[in-house]
Each structure stands twice: as structure tokens, then as C-alpha cells.
């Protein structure tokens, strides 16, 4: 009798606790290793954005130290939240937790995915089945979920938000929302979405990642009056990103896109893209982007960061260095200690 292969162990890069720390008050991502380094690297820009007094700087230091401590505890605390939710939470819509069915997906999405797996499928054929938002920036859009599935998922998310269950925030920029792996929706919803549908689609749209999208991080973000209303410019810790507007009724909040974050004029003449409920926007994770202020109503978006260990094992997308690996829970940040496939990193940028 054969022996089952051990599950793959995923890691994060140690830079997670020192790079790309977001300071909302000053609208800035910073690298933080010490007070001296922070003053040297960011003193002028911090002063230009209002961090002028010793008290301001000490307050900033305290916030950054607290954030580093939070990140160091994140994996362990997330696993504890997930275990408690699994044992104690009672869903409002148990059907959402069933394995992903075609009936939840928009006909256009199913048709595009089916074409992507057909013999002789190519990029030009796929582009006839979706909207090219920007050929230059390689940004695309197509319907993903049906209206009824979006409604069911929103009902479940609302119910969870009103519960007394612990909630992990999606990231340092989004203070409202849900981590889908903690809620138990990774296995039934996001993993089949990635493996069955997104992988073949992305293989044609972004052939440099063909066959390598082996993990993900999925979360729902919420924008509403009195809560988060906009999102500062940033890039994702992902090779590729899917961003689906689930609802509810809203105005404003358009996405804007610059160039890849390495580009010298990354935010010159940004491209604005309006959200359409049920539709997903596909883009490269390194594409600088943000969200304009919400006008009215509430906007909930499902964001799936798609990751390729064979790519990021060579070069961490956040610190742009060979990753310093640290063991982590679940998918971690998509790194592995395995010998990566041969990848031409220069061709990916």
C-alpha cells in the first residue's frame, strides 16, 4: 500500500515584519528596522506629510513597534481564530460552504474558463470572451459570480460580522472585512475557484505564470460610511490578483491603476476603473493601484491574491530580495523551502 505524500509546508519571508508597514495617517508604506533607519530613510517625506514634532515621531514609532509585534503573532492568532470559528460559529447560509458549483458562477466566466482548457485555446480567442480594460497594463474584466450567489455570500458575511466571533482584519490597509480561510471558505470556495477556473484563464492571460499558481490568500474588504472609505496606493503581495465586487449598492470607490511598482513614473496618469457588482478585475499584483473614496452606500469586494511559489522562492515581491524563509501556518505567504523550478525572474517584470 502506497504512502501518502506529506502536505507541502509553506512559509513567509522575514521581511513581512519589517517591510511595507502602512502608516495610514501619513499615507505611506515604510521599511522599519530601527529608529535611526526610519529617520534616515523617511525623515523628509514624513515631515512633509505632517510628522513634525518629537511627539509625532514617538507616536509613529510606537505604532510601528506595535504593528511589528502584531505581525509576529499573526499566524498563531489566525489559526486560533479559525479553530474557534469552526467549533462555535453557526452560519446563516450553510449553502455557501458547500463545494463550489457551476450554478454560482456567471455564464461568461464558465464559458471563458471552458475555452481556456479547450484544445488550441489561445490568448486572442480568450480576449473575445472578456473585456480588456488596458492592453498596455494587462488588466482585464469579466463577470465571475451570479447575482444570487453574491447575495448569499453577502448575507453570510453580514451575519458573521454581527456575531461575537473573533475577526482578523485582511491587512494593515483594510480594517473591515473577513479572512476567508478563518471563516472556513478556503477549501469549498476559493481553492476550487483557483484550481478549476482561474489557473487556466491566467495561463493564457499571463503565460509567465502558467502552471505555477499553487496558493492564494483570499479576503473580503468592506467600505462604508464611518469605516474604511478609500484605499491608498499600494501593490499586492501576489503574482496576480482577482478583485470581485460583491455589492451592495454604492457610488464612487473606483479603482485606479498606475504602472508596475518598479517603474519610475508609476502613478503618472492613473487609469480609473469602475466597479460592477458580480464582475471581477484581473491584474498583476505588482501593478500599483488604490481605491477612490466611496460616495454612498456600502461596497464589499472579494480579493484573491494568487501566488506562485516557483517565482517568489527566487525573489520576494515585497522586499525584492531572495526570501529569508520563516515557517508559517496554512499557505503562509506562498513560499516553500523546496528547490524552485527554473524561472527567468527578469522576464516577469
Amino acid at each position: 500500500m502506497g504512502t501518502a505524500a506529506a502536505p507541502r509546508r509553506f512559509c513567509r519571508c522575514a521581511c513581512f515584519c519589517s517591510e511595507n508597514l502602512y502608516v495610514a495617517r501619513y499615507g505611506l508604506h515604510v521599511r522599519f528596522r530601527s529608529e535611526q533607519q526610519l529617520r534616515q530613510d523617511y525623515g523628509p517625506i514624513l515631515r512633509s506629510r505632517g510628522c513634525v514634532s518629537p511627539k509625532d515621531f514617538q507616536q509613529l514609532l510606537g505604532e510601528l513597534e506595535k504593528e511589528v509585534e502584531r505581525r509576529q503573532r499573526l499566524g498563531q492568532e489566525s489559526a486560533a481564530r479559525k479553530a474557534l470559528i469552526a467549533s462555535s460559529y453557526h452560519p446563516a447560509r450553510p449553502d455557501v460552504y458547500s463545494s463550489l458549483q457551476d450554478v454560482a458562477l456567471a455564464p461568461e466566466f464558465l464559458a471563458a474558463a471552458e475555452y481556456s482548457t479547450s484544445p488550441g485555446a489561445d490568448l486572442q480567442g480568450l480576449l473575445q470572451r472578456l473585456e480588456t480594460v488596458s492592453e498596455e497594463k494587462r488588466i482585464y474584466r469579466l463577470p465571475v459570480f451570479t447575482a444570487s450567489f453574491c447575495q448569499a455570500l453577502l448575507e453570510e458575511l453580514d451575519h458573521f460580522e454581527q456575531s461575537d466571533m473573533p475577526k482578523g482584519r485582511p491587512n494593515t490597509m483594510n480594517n473591515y472585512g473577513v479572512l476567508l480561510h478563518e471563516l472556513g471558505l478556503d477549501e469549498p470556495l476559493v481553492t476550487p475557484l483557483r484550481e478549476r477556473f482561474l489557473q487556466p484563464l491566467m495561463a493564457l492571460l499571463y503565460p509567465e505564470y502558467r502552471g505555477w499558481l499553487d496558493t492564494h490568500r483570499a479576503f473580503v474588504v468592506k467600505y462604508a460610511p464611518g469605516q474604511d472609505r478609500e484605499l491608498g496606493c499600494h501593490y499586492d503581495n501576489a503574482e496576480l490578483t482577482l478583485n470581485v465586487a460583491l455589492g451592495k449598492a454604492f457610488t464612487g470607490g473606483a479603482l485606479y491603476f498606475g504602472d508596475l511598482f518598479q517603474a519610475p513614473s508609476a502613478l503618472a496618469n492613473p487609469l480609473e476603473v469602475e466597479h460592477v457588482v458580480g464582475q471581477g478585475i484581473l491584474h498583476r499584483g505588482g501593478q500599483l493601484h488604490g481605491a477612490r473614496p466611496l460616495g454612498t452606500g456600502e461596497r464589499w469586494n472579494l480579493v484573491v491574491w494568487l501566488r506562485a511559489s516557483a517565482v517568489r522562492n527566487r525573489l520576494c515581491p515585497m522586499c525584492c530580495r531572495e526570501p529569508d524563509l520563516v515557517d508559517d501556518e496554512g499557505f503562509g505567504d506562498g513560499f516553500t523551502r523546496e528547490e524552485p523550478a527554473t524561472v527567468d525572474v527578469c522576464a516577469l517584470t
Side-chain angles (χ1 to χ4, degrees):
M1 192 174 196
T3 302
R8 296 177 72 192
R9 186 69 188 265
F10 292 96
C11 308
R12 61 175 169 84
C13 179
C15 77
F16 178 69
C17 292
S18 62
E19 306 278 341
N20 230 36
L21 278 66
Y22 185 61
V23 184
R25 184 186 307 109
Y26 304 119
L28 191 66
H29 285 89
V30 301
R31 176 174 177 258
F32 176 57
R33 294 182 180 271
S34 68
E35 177 178 349
Q36 181 180 358
Q37 169 266 319
L38 187 70
R39 289 184 183 276
Q40 180 175 328
D41 292 350
Y42 300 100
I45 190 170
L46 283 169
R47 287 191 292 274
S48 74
R49 298 191 181 192
C51 183
V52 293
S53 70
K55 182 179 178 181
D56 290 337
F57 195 83
Q58 289 305 312
Q59 184 177 4
L60 173 60
L61 275 178
E63 291 174 359
L64 290 173
E65 289 166 355
K66 184 177 179 180
E67 173 59 19
V68 169
E69 292 172 0
R70 186 192 73 85
R71 292 188 179 203
Q72 290 170 340
R73 302 190 306 266
L74 196 61
Q76 184 177 0
E77 291 183 352
S78 181
R81 286 192 298 267
K82 181 178 180 180
L84 179 58
I85 292 166
S87 66
S88 306
Y89 176 63
H90 301 288
R93 293 295 303 260
D95 52 311
V96 169
Y97 295 82
S98 301
S99 183
L100 180 65
Q101 302 295 313
D102 288 2
V103 69
L105 299 169
E108 298 91 335
F109 185 71
L110 289 170
E114 181 179 0
Y115 172 78
S116 299
T117 59
S118 65
D122 60 17
L123 176 60
Q124 291 308 311
L126 178 58
L127 293 181
Q128 296 174 17
R129 293 163 169 81
L130 48 75
E131 174 189 352
T132 299
V133 175
S134 170
E135 181 178 2
E136 176 192 2
K137 299 181 188 299
R138 301 172 73 191
I139 302 172
Y140 308 96
R141 174 161 57 187
L142 79 168
V144 176
F145 298 118
T146 62
S148 59
F149 182 79
C150 288
Q151 180 62 33
L153 183 55
L154 282 174
E155 288 177 11
E156 177 57 28
L157 294 169
D158 259 333
H159 178 71
F160 179 71
E161 188 180 56
Q162 298 304 317
S163 76
D164 59 1
M165 290 289 103
K167 301 166 184 71
R169 62 183 181 178
N171 50 66
T172 53
M173 299 184 74
N174 294 105
N175 298 297
Y176 299 89
V178 178
L179 294 164
L180 293 196
H181 78 277
E182 291 187 5
L183 193 52
L185 285 171
D186 245 10
E187 293 80 2
L189 174 60
V190 188
T191 295
L193 183 68
R194 169 173 56 85
E195 293 180 347
R196 290 176 51 202
F197 301 102
L198 292 175
Q199 284 202 26
L201 271 172
M202 298 302 203
L204 291 180
L205 293 174
Y206 308 96
E208 61 268 40
Y209 301 115
R210 181 188 300 271
W212 289 333
L213 299 174
D214 51 357
T215 66
H216 61 262
R217 176 179 171 84
F219 50 92
V220 172
V221 293
K222 176 188 177 186
Y223 298 87
Q227 300 181 6
D228 291 339
R229 296 185 63 93
E230 61 187 302
L231 188 64
C233 186
H234 65 286
Y235 58 95
D236 296 339
N237 186 358
E239 277 61 72
L240 302 170
T241 296
L242 167 67
N243 186 332
V244 185
L246 300 174
K248 303 177 179 178
F250 59 87
T251 61
L255 284 178
Y256 62 89
F257 290 93
D259 294 327
L260 289 177
F261 74 90
Q262 301 97 334
S265 57
L267 266 183
N269 304 312
L271 169 71
E272 292 207 0
V273 184
E274 296 292 338
H275 286 288
V276 179
V277 173
Q279 295 197 7
I281 296 169
L282 306 169
H283 63 87
R284 292 172 292 178
Q287 201 85 42
L288 279 171
H289 60 284
R292 300 299 187 197
L294 184 74
T296 60
E298 289 185 15
R299 178 165 66 82
W300 296 66
N301 283 59
L302 168 64
V303 179
V304 183
W305 287 351
L306 299 161
R307 292 162 164 174
S309 63
V311 175
R312 58 184 40 227
N313 285 356
R314 297 284 295 271
L315 186 73
C316 172
M318 305 310 284
C319 64
C320 297
R321 297 188 293 268
E322 182 179 348
D324 177 9
L325 297 181
V326 177
D327 287 334
D328 205 357
E329 301 286 339
F331 284 152
D333 273 348
F335 300 91
T336 69
R337 297 186 186 277
E338 302 163 15
E339 185 67 25
T342 300
V343 178
D344 183 358
V345 175
C346 294
L348 305 179
T349 57

